[in-house]
Amino acid sequence: MIRAVIATPNNKESFVIQETKAPQPQLWEAIVEVKAFSLNRGEVVDALQRKENSRPGWDFSGIVLHEALNGSGPKKGSRVVGLVPTGAWAEQVAVPTSALAEIPAEITFEQAATLPVAGLSALYALRKGGFC
């Protein structure tokens, strides 16, 4: 069992932390111990529109606990950042290895967790404005 944020949009509290089943990976997925995650407006709105008891969260960073069974992606112990369609606000997450990138030691988990949505949104805006 792991702890995870669960969406409860029909209750007084929109989110609760509760025990839930640990993720069960597919052959191409690694299990990551989440060290940090970020909150973005889009994922919060998305979580409140999902069905009761769904597991929200997109961006996260952490350490690979179990490598993908097919041998792809980062190895056990690697520091990674990733993006999933749901479930990142938890102690562990199963992630397709194609959605993971290793992070250098000088980048904190908190810094890395802001990169997938917020960081890429900022980069796209700068490119669209012709600033890079």
Side-chain angles (χ1 to χ4, degrees):
M1 298 292 279
I2 63 165
R3 290 179 300 165
V5 174
I6 307 295
T8 55
N10 299 324
N11 294 324
K12 180 181 173 188
E13 300 293 329
S14 297
F15 301 101
V16 296
I17 297 173
Q18 68 184 41
E19 294 276 324
T20 189
K21 293 179 184 177
Q24 299 299 308
Q26 300 294 321
L27 293 175
W28 58 89
E29 293 178 320
I31 297 293
V32 176
E33 176 185 9
V34 176
K35 295 293 188 179
F37 58 80
S38 64
L39 298 171
N40 299 293
R41 182 181 183 278
E43 69 190 325
V44 172
V45 169
D46 178 64
L48 294 174
Q49 295 173 348
R50 287 178 170 265
K51 64 182 180 181
E52 194 79 9
N53 298 316
S54 65
R55 291 184 43 194
W58 298 343
D59 306 356
F60 67 92
S61 62
I63 298 173
V64 175
L65 287 178
H66 302 286
E67 336 178 344
L69 294 174
N70 69 359
S72 67
K75 302 300 178 204
K76 181 177 180 173
S78 297
R79 301 173 75 245
V80 295
V81 61
L83 177 67
V84 291
T86 189
W89 300 353
E91 291 179 320
Q92 294 178 11
V93 63
V95 187
T97 57
S98 61
L100 289 173
E102 291 192 49
I103 56 175
E106 62 271 12
I107 302 295
T108 67
F109 289 116
E110 294 81 8
Q111 291 168 327
T114 67
L115 294 174
V117 173
L120 289 175
S121 295
L123 177 62
Y124 294 149
L126 289 170
R127 285 183 177 161
K128 185 151 183 92
F131 296 105
C132 65

